[in-house]
Every structure is written in structure tokens, then in C-alpha cells.
Amino acid sequence: MRVRRIAVLTSGGDAPGMNAAVRAIIRAGLKNGFEMFVVYEGYKGLIEGRIEKVDRNFVSDIINRGGTILKSARSRDFKTKEARLIAIDQLKNFGIDTIIAIGGDGTYMGAKELTELGIKCVCIPGTIDNDIASSEYTIGFDTALNTICDVVDKLRDTTASHQRCTIIEVMGNTSGDLALFSGIAEGVEMILTPEHPFTEEEIINRIRLLGSGFKKHSLVIVSEKVFPNVISFAEKLSKETGIEARAEVLGRLQRGGSPSAFDRILATRLGVYAVDLLKDNIYNVVVGLKDNKLVYYTFEEAFSMPKKEYAQLYRLINIVNR
Ligand code: F6P
């Protein structure tokens, strides 16, 4: 049986560019003769049957909008088979057997579970964390990166004026990509990621050394979860070095805002590609970018890929940031 009715959902942490992906999917789907549906609030809404048939006007004027017009959620219930069976019934009520899910690793896991119950799925990487191994970039990463850079530019002014050390904690879940990329783009003095950790002692010694040089102030970018409490660490740093240190936790502002041109284009490419695959009767796959080309992988392939490595970027830190 070929796919005829497709439903789109966004799940997990929202990411700028998700709307652009939804738009591309709906428009490409309709152009190819599919009937297009949306599910509100991700897998939670799927269980609740919050499904609606849409036309091309539904996605007008959303390419530039942050967040997700479909809303998002992290559903604990969906982890149970009972809830997933209810979700399947909801889809059956609408005659839908195919889902395009936009989100991060939790979204991918949920989709994989659905495929095991007979639903055809294609997943699109949408998360600011960039922590999906099967795609060089995820939708939302570039925008979040630029947002971080805007904030760090501002923090630099006050950090330099007061000759302080400012530690900026960025998101990324367990991935250091946002910290690494923003740290290079901002030329900060230290970048602390889960992939390349430093001991507290090493950080303190480095900041002390910097404070004794010509340029007294310093910026440090750290991934969330590296420090149990970055504010306490800043206090400790102040005490140990005599240099005033402040911590700034950027938090969810990193997820907001209008998507960058890069994210809009990436989202549009991946959205249309997902529909192209379904048209060719290819499903139960995840899509991504490799060497700037669109690619797809089975869930098994995607889940077994190693974390992305950035040896060339880490090398830059040693050359230009120190
Ligand atoms: O996955 C995106 C993300 O923003 C992570 O960077 C962060 O760890 C998490 O979501 C926070 O999620 P929530 O807003 O649900 O607390």
C-alpha cells in the first residue's frame, strides 16, 4: 500500500526553523497529491487525537516564525505501549498511516516505536543541540548559535569594562556543539564541553594566568551539565583567583527567535526531501545532511552512528583563542 495520508508533528524542545520545515512538508505533500494532516503537541497530542487536516494556506507566513505553530511536548505517556496503541487508533480514525516527525533524539525514539506498530515514519532533525549524529546540522542550531553570539557580544562589553571573568552557560543537553561553535565565533578564552573537559583546577589556573596578563578580562563558554552549578563555580573562581567572576545561564532564550536564513533553507530542503522519499515509497528512515547533500538512514544506522567529532575546530582554539 502506498502512502496517501501524511501527518506532521513537532516534538521535544522547540527549535527555530521547525515552522519552515512544516511549511515545506505540507506544501510538498499537497503538490504530490497526498492528503496532509498536522498533529498538535507532538506525541502527547497524538495520543489525544489532536489531529487536523490542513491546506496550503495553513502554512502561510510561518517560514520566518520561531517556535512551532504545531506546539511541542515531551510525552512521558508515549513511552508506554498502551499509550502508543491509543495513538495508533487515533491515526486510524483519520486513515493516516504515515508520520513525518520533526525533533531530536527523543522524537526519533518515539517514531521508531511507531514503526514497530506498523506506522510509516520519516524523521527530520530539529533541535538547537545539533546532537543528531546522522546529520551534520540540525534545524535550529544555526539560529541558536547566532543568538548566543549576540548575547556574548553584549556580555563582552560589560566584562571588559569591569575586567571580570564571565562564564556563559549555553544549552546543548549532553552535546558541546553550541559551546564549541559559539566559543570559536566569539574567540573566547576558554571553551568547556563534555567532549573536552577541564578539571576545575585547570580552569582556575588558566583564568588566574589570564588575569595577570595585559588583557585582564576573560570570557568562558561552557556547555550545560558540565558544572552541576555554574553560579557556585563562578563564586569559587572569584575566591581562588581574586578576579571577579560572574556566571550567566542563557537558558531558553537560545531556543527563541526568527530562524536564520541557513535554518530556513535547511528546513525547506529536509522537508521536501522527506516527502520525496515517501513519494518513492521509502520510509522508516531519518533524513539529514552529509557533505551538504541530503541523505537518509535507517533508524538502526542512525542510532549506531558515533557522535560528531570536530578535531579541526578544537585545533583552532589552541591556535587563535589562547
Ligand atoms: O533539546 C533542546 C534543549 O533546549 C536542551 O538544550 C536542553 O537541555 C533541554 O532542551 C531543555 O528542555 P526543557 O525546556 O524541556 O527543560
Side-chain angles (χ1 to χ4, degrees):
M1 265 286 280
R2 294 187 92 75
V3 175
R4 297 263 26 108
R5 292 182 168 191
I6 303 173
V8 186
L9 62 80
T10 52
S11 166
D14 62 326
M18 279 182 161
N19 286 326
V22 171
R23 169 182 176 270
I25 294 162
I26 300 293
R27 297 234 164 129
L30 292 169
K31 274 248 155 73
N32 283 289
F34 296 116
E35 290 178 62
M36 299 304 294
F37 294 78
V38 293
V39 181
Y40 291 99
E41 278 191 77
Y43 296 122
K44 174 175 178 285
L46 194 56
I47 302 166
E48 293 163 2
R50 301 192 49 214
I51 301 169
E52 184 183 312
K53 189 170 180 190
V54 294
D55 62 14
R56 88 186 298 285
N57 298 329
F58 178 82
V59 290
S60 290
D61 294 325
I62 64 165
I63 194 166
N64 59 325
R65 280 172 63 184
T68 161
I69 63 161
L70 302 187
K71 313 297 181 202
S72 196
R74 301 187 195 274
S75 173
R76 276 180 188 279
D77 289 348
F78 200 72
K79 297 201 167 110
T80 69
K81 186 151 183 198
E82 293 95 298
R84 291 198 294 275
L85 288 172
I86 296 171
I88 303 280
D89 282 343
Q90 301 285 15
L91 287 170
K92 281 193 185 143
N93 290 339
F94 286 85
I96 299 166
D97 67 353
T98 306
I99 292 268
I100 299 180
I102 308 163
D105 44 7
T107 307
Y108 281 28
M109 290 305 293
K112 167 116 187 350
E113 302 277 9
L114 283 178
T115 65
E116 282 158 19
L117 296 170
I119 300 298
K120 303 177 175 89
C121 290
V122 178
C123 284
I124 295 184
T127 164
I128 65 163
D129 299 337
N130 207 36
D131 58 350
I132 299 285
S134 49
S135 188
E136 268 157 16
Y137 292 107
T138 58
I139 297 165
F141 174 68
D142 182 67
T143 308
L145 180 57
N146 282 289
T147 301
I148 294 168
C149 288
D150 283 350
V151 177
V152 177
D153 283 347
K154 292 184 169 68
L155 288 171
R156 183 191 298 277
D157 293 343
T158 176
T159 303
S161 303
H162 287 266
Q163 300 191 87
R164 285 176 175 157
C165 168
T166 301
I167 309 176
I168 302 133
E169 185 179 280
V170 300
M171 280 188 160
N173 196 9
T174 55
S175 154
D177 289 23
L178 279 173
L180 173 63
F181 282 64
S182 62
I184 289 172
E186 286 295 323
V188 302
E189 278 66 29
M190 284 195 96
I191 302 174
L192 312 174
T193 63
E195 295 84 4
H196 285 251
F198 288 84
T199 63
E200 288 198 356
E201 200 189 346
E202 283 170 330
I203 303 165
I204 290 166
N205 288 340
R206 170 102 188 114
I207 299 303
R208 190 183 285 121
L209 189 70
L210 285 166
S212 65
F214 168 72
K215 177 179 144 180
K216 304 245 173 300
H217 66 277
S218 52
L219 293 167
V220 177
I221 294 192
V222 58
S223 299
E224 63 177 338
K225 299 182 183 172
V226 165
F227 293 119
N229 184 333
V230 70
I231 296 171
S232 308
F233 180 71
E235 282 163 10
K236 180 170 177 185
L237 188 64
S238 295
K239 264 195 210 116
E240 303 249 339
T241 61
I243 297 164
E244 263 192 305
R246 294 284 189 274
E248 309 289 346
V249 179
L250 300 194
R252 286 166 193 77
L253 74 81
Q254 295 163 91
R255 291 219 299 251
S258 181
S260 65
F262 180 88
D263 276 330
R264 296 180 201 191
I265 294 166
L266 177 64
T268 305
R269 291 177 74 190
L270 290 171
V272 172
Y273 184 56
V275 174
D276 283 343
L277 292 176
L278 290 171
K279 198 173 63 187
D280 292 341
N281 230 20
I282 297 168
Y283 46 80
N284 298 352
V285 293
V286 308
V287 296
L289 202 65
K290 184 174 169 30
D291 301 329
N292 200 26
K293 294 205 171 47
L294 299 169
V295 287
Y296 69 88
Y297 303 98
T298 63
F299 284 100
E300 290 71 22
E301 286 169 337
F303 290 153
S304 61
M305 283 182 184
K307 232 178 170 180
K308 286 171 268 193
E309 275 193 45
Y310 300 105
Q312 291 184 351
L313 289 186
Y314 278 103
R315 180 174 169 265
L316 297 181
I317 305 172
N318 292 324
I319 300 172
V320 294
N321 290 33
R322 292 186 182 168

